[in-house]
Each structure stands twice: as C-alpha cells, then as structure tokens.
Amino acid sequence: MSATKNVAADTDDPPPPGEYGFVVAASRLPVDRVDEPDDGESEWRRSPGGLVTALEPVMRAANGAWVGWPGSAGPAPEPFDAGGMHLVSVGLSEDEVSDFYEGFCNATLWPLYHDVIVPPVFRRPWWDAYVTVNRRFARAVAEQAALGATVWVNDYQLQLVPGMLRAMRSDVRIGFFNHIPFPGYEIFAQLPWRRQIVEGLLGADLLGFQRHGDTANFLRACRRATGKSTRGSLIQVPEPAGRRFVRAGSFPVSIDFSAFAELASREDVRARAGEIREGLGEPDVVLLGVDRLDYTKGILHRLNAYGELLDEGRLTSPETVFILVASPSRERVEQYRLLREEVETTVGRINGQHGELGALGSTPVQYLHQSYPREEMAALYLAADVMLVTSLRDGMNLVAKEFVASRTDERGALVLSEFTGASDELAGAFLVNPHDIEGLKDAIVRAATISPQEARRRMRSMRRRVRENDVAHWAAAFLDALKGAPDPLEGDTL
Ligand code: F6P
C-alpha cells in the first residue's frame, strides 16, 4: 500500500448492527489463557491490568462487549463470556504477530512515540499488516456495536480503527485513548504514514491523551500533517455533508487505589513483606524497581547510579539491597533482546564487584526476570524503603501509583522520573532527570536517608492525590466527555 492511500475510506461493506451498547477495543483481551498443568486443559483468567478493573463495572452496567487479541498466533476462538463480559477475539496469524505486533506496533510506533530512545524501524510490509489488522478490529467492533452504541478504542496499536469504524458505521459514538506519549511533531513527522495515522484517529469524536503536552503535540500534528484547523481543543474535520468537530483532551490514567490499599492491609501480605526483608538478611535499606524489561524504563541508568553509589561508598552492601523486578516483554523484538543482555551484564558486574561470599543478603542486586501476581507485588512495595521509577519516557507509569496506594503505613519514598505522566501528579516524590546520573544518585541517597516525618508528609499527599484520582474517576471523566461530544446521529451541533 502506498503512503498516500486513504486507508480510512478503504473499508468493506458495513456489517449489520450488533447488540452491544458499549464496546471496548484494545489490542489484548482482558483475560489470559492459563494452561492447567494437571489435566492439560486451559482456562481464561481475568488479567490484572488497570483497564480491565476500570471498565468491568461500566461494561456490566452498559451491556458491554470487549474486542481484543487473545495473545497468541492462530485462529480466533468463538466469542465467549467470562467475568461478566462478552469477549470477542480477533485472531492474528504468525506473520501478523511478527509484522503487526512485533513490527509496526513495537519496533516502529513504540520507539517513535517514546522519543526515539532507540531508532524506529520503518518497513512497508509492517504498515500493510497494521492496516489489515486494524481493519479486522474495526469490522469486529462494527459487528458487535448496536445502533448508536458507544465505542472506546484503546492505544497505539489501533489508531486506524476510529476512521475505519466511522466509514462503516456513522451512527456510533467513538472515543479513543492513547496510553503512551504522543511525540513532538519533529519526531512524529519521521513516520512515512503520519497523515494516515492522524486521519485514522480523527474518525473519533473524542481523543484522550495522558498529559497536556501529548494533547498539544497531537493538535500540532493535525495542523502540520493534515492541514486541519484547530481551535483550542477542537479539530475541524471537513465531511461531504458539512463538517465535524473532534475534541482532544488529557485524562491521566490511574489505578484501583482501594484494591492495592486493601491488599497491603492484609495480614498475609504484610507477613510476606516481612519475609522478603528477612530473606535478604534484614538490610537497612531496600531499593525496589518494577518494570517490564523495556528500554523506555531507564533500567540501566538506575543500575549505573546504584553501582556508582556502591563504588563511592555512599551506599554499602550488604546494608543496602536493590530488588530489580524486570518482567519479560516483547522478547522476540531485537532491541528488547539487546537490552536484556546489557541489563544482565550490568547486574553481573555490580554483583561481581560488591557481593560477598556466603553471607546472607550479600548480593547487592537481586535481579528477577519474572512476573508476579498482585499479592506479591503489594508485598514487595511494602518491603521497600525506596521505589525507583527512572523512565526515560513513560505515558503515565502505574507502578509509581501502585507503590503509593500500597503504602498504607505512610512510609517509604519514591524517586520518580520527571519524564513520566505520573510526575505531574505525585509532587511528594523526589523528582529526577534519569540522564543526570549525579542528580539521580543524590536523590537516591536523600530518599534512602529521609526522616520518618518527612516520608509521612510526602506519602500522605501522594496517597490523597491517587485516592481522589483513581481509575474509576479516569474512566468516568473520559466517558462523560465522550457523552458530551456531538451526537453522530444528529450531526454537527457545535
Ligand atoms: O501501555 C502500553 C502497552 O502497550 C499496553 O497497550 C499493553 O497492554 C502493555 O503496554 C503491555 O504491552 P504488550 O501488550 O505488548 O505486552
């Protein structure tokens, strides 16, 4: 497909309306297939993600359907009901997993939207796969959506869906939320298909971004890549029958605060936190990092800062231990493989240099390339003295909010990169520029030596903020704004 073809107009005949008044589209389904080792059977379990928690009550109340990829290559299973939700799978072939998911989504868009921390790769067959898969999603949504339904499309994997869906079904109300940053135009402009992406997004009635800067970047992309005029947060889109207005705004995503607070208050979780510290040899200071193993997270910056603090004797081992949880992610993508090698080499170097033979807690970096259930995460958050979030670029960073929500004891300190969306809200954190290694080292030492009074003051203010702006608040704010958008059945009301 050429870079100038208008993909939004290139759609099949519209399917007849479905029966669901509310449809969510996201690249993944809200459930994971879990294989039972005993009987070889598999079952679907609700995934722990925030989006699922936020949308589940809305889905139930509004007779909702969720359209997503089940996470492995192969034909789509038939629609099924799980956890009170109607789930509709979109299947991806092996080639599509490689060209759409690993290629265009995670080797083109992901690095491009995260300020080219690693170089994005532009391949025309990947773009073709992106168009094909987005059209499959749009069609699956159109088949489920009742006349006049509300559709909520999520994230960078599905940016063409709003335009394709509108071309099939002008009756539905479409919201789109981008969970990752939207880059400045000088970076976005590198994308050979920048115009098609912006036009795809403009099929929505409401476009949500994490931060004001992301919204401003998108508005500029509308003007520069498509020549659309914008007024405040409104973009004017010419239509054959007149014009349409699309609204763009920021809606910072959040977490289920009370779920984490309740977990962290549980006796067994608190006991497990104690066990973790005991297992480490009761160090004076436990530092913690929890991320997907992704180059956007600044894991190497954090490790290098810690290594230098040990070299300089400003922190000592075994009095200090750094638990580094880096969960496996996108492992077949080249840059993720390279990062894993570099992280593991660096962990090995620090442990080789500063570890001690035999003694408990003598491994300065406890590196865990694994994922954990929410209970264990809450115990880890409680076991830590200092949480290190050093992303080089991050749409929000929900780990920072989970840490805060889990600290029912009002202890612990957060070192937080200013390049995260969360830094707009968490003023009680020690804000850092992770590229400034000296500044990062100073912040780690300050956080590790904070007085209990100061820790409490900072933690209280952060907890209040996350409690008030939890994930339910986020979903309600977005859906209210979407309701306020001009009615697609009645035309332009602005
Ligand atoms: O927040 C960005 C995001 O890509 C989500 O869309 C996704 O659920 C999460 O990160 C994990 O990524 P993946 O689906 O590639 O495992």
Side-chain angles (χ1 to χ4, degrees):
M1 178 161 301
S2 86
T4 52
K5 191 159 179 188
N6 185 342
V7 293
D10 184 17
T11 49
D12 300 325
D13 289 342
E19 57 182 278
Y20 292 91
F22 182 57
V23 182
V24 166
S27 76
R28 288 182 185 265
L29 283 179
V31 290
D32 301 315
R33 200 200 296 263
V34 182
D35 294 324
E36 297 294 336
D38 302 340
D39 51 12
E41 295 284 297
S42 64
E43 63 166 29
W44 296 97
R45 280 204 205 132
R46 180 178 174 279
S47 19
L51 191 64
V52 186
T53 318
L55 295 184
E56 211 180 349
V58 192
M59 299 263 295
R60 285 221 188 89
N63 179 26
W66 187 304
V67 175
W69 173 49
S72 50
E78 283 302 307
F80 59 99
D81 292 329
M85 295 181 276
H86 183 66
L87 305 180
V88 180
S89 300
V90 173
L92 299 186
S93 66
E94 285 284 359
D95 282 352
E96 285 168 344
V97 172
S98 136
D99 291 355
F100 163 77
Y101 172 71
E102 291 162 353
F104 201 77
C105 291
N106 291 317
T108 306
L109 292 175
W110 183 266
L112 187 78
Y113 281 33
H114 288 88
D115 287 356
V116 297
I117 294 167
V118 304
V121 179
F122 301 116
R123 294 219 179 120
R124 282 163 286 183
W126 291 359
W127 165 251
D128 293 344
Y130 189 74
V131 174
T132 304
V133 172
N134 269 249
R135 186 169 297 120
R136 194 172 304 149
F137 267 85
R139 199 170 171 85
V141 170
E143 281 167 5
Q144 300 301 323
L147 198 69
T150 295
V151 176
W152 188 349
V153 184
N154 285 274
D155 231 355
Y156 65 101
Q157 300 94 341
L158 302 179
Q159 293 173 101
L160 302 178
V161 169
M164 291 170 166
L165 180 60
R166 182 168 294 281
M168 286 183 228
R169 291 285 303 277
S170 59
D171 59 289
V172 294
R173 193 178 288 256
I174 306 169
F176 176 94
F177 186 79
N178 199 50
H179 292 253
I180 68 171
F182 196 90
Y185 189 68
E186 286 65 24
I187 289 177
F188 182 69
Q190 291 180 20
L191 186 67
W193 307 279
R194 62 197 185 195
R195 186 181 60 76
Q196 290 93 322
I197 292 285
V198 172
E199 282 176 352
L201 288 168
L202 287 176
D205 298 288
L206 173 68
L207 292 160
F209 298 91
Q210 301 278 22
R211 308 176 86 169
H212 295 302
D214 299 317
T215 309
N217 287 344
F218 175 73
L219 289 166
R220 184 143 176 264
C222 289
R223 295 190 293 270
R224 298 289 304 274
T226 67
K228 301 272 185 297
S229 52
T230 64
R231 199 184 59 221
S233 61
L234 292 177
I235 307 120
Q236 192 176 316
V237 180
E239 295 271 316
R243 62 186 181 166
R244 197 166 59 79
F245 285 93
V246 178
R247 205 192 129 195
S250 46
F251 301 85
V253 73
S254 194
I255 57 155
D256 186 348
F257 179 90
S258 42
F260 274 93
E262 274 162 33
L263 266 182
S265 311
R266 259 169 47 183
E267 227 16 81
D268 57 329
V269 172
R270 304 188 76 80
R272 175 68 191 138
E275 249 173 54
I276 291 171
R277 286 192 79 107
E278 200 184 326
L280 296 172
E282 297 290 1
D284 297 338
V285 179
V286 173
L287 309 176
L288 174 67
V290 174
D291 312 89
R292 278 186 307 102
L293 185 48
D294 193 299
Y295 48 79
T296 58
K297 303 293 181 183
I299 297 170
L300 288 168
H301 295 64
R302 191 184 311 166
L303 274 171
N304 287 331
Y306 178 58
E308 286 190 18
L309 286 170
L310 291 175
D311 292 343
E312 293 160 8
R314 291 174 74 191
L315 292 178
T316 51
S317 170
E319 289 78 12
T320 311
V321 174
F322 178 16
I323 307 176
L324 178 59
V325 177
S327 53
S329 184
R330 306 171 186 170
E331 292 190 282
R332 296 199 311 190
V333 180
E334 170 79 0
Q335 291 289 350
Y336 288 75
R337 272 207 294 258
L338 294 174
L339 176 71
R340 181 172 175 191
E341 276 172 28
E342 225 180 320
V343 164
E344 294 183 354
T345 303
T346 310
V347 168
R349 181 173 50 75
I350 296 172
N351 283 342
Q353 214 168 320
H354 295 282
E356 269 173 46
L357 200 61
L360 250 189
S362 62
T363 309
V365 185
Q366 296 275 338
Y367 167 66
L368 302 154
H369 185 238
Q370 295 166 46
S371 312
Y372 294 96
R374 276 221 292 203
E375 284 77 5
E376 185 72 352
M377 292 315 307
L380 277 165
Y381 292 142
L382 276 176
D385 298 294
V386 179
M387 181 82 213
L388 297 176
V389 177
T390 54
S391 311
L392 308 178
R393 195 82 168 91
D394 214 330
M396 176 50 61
N397 196 284
L398 295 178
V399 161
K401 292 187 173 181
E402 288 175 7
F403 172 68
V404 164
S406 302
R407 294 315 298 243
T408 44
D409 57 359
E410 298 180 338
R411 296 173 65 179
L414 173 64
V415 172
L416 179 63
S417 163
E418 63 194 51
F419 303 121
T420 60
S423 67
D424 289 348
E425 297 175 76
L426 301 179
F430 291 90
L431 293 183
V432 291
N433 167 3
H435 297 283
D436 169 12
I437 297 292
E438 289 305 324
L440 178 54
K441 281 157 58 182
D442 290 346
I444 294 174
V445 171
R446 280 179 63 206
T449 53
I450 192 174
S451 72
Q453 296 76 11
E454 190 187 347
R456 187 171 314 118
R457 184 179 57 72
R458 286 171 176 263
M459 188 54 77
R460 264 194 196 155
S461 86
M462 293 193 285
R463 285 176 57 76
R464 193 176 320 116
R465 179 72 190 222
V466 182
R467 189 186 303 114
E468 283 164 9
N469 294 293
D470 68 354
V471 73
H473 174 91
W474 167 75
F478 184 84
L479 290 171
D480 280 354
L482 182 55
K483 241 185 244 154
D487 189 335
L489 287 174
E490 286 167 19
D492 173 12
T493 54
L494 285 180

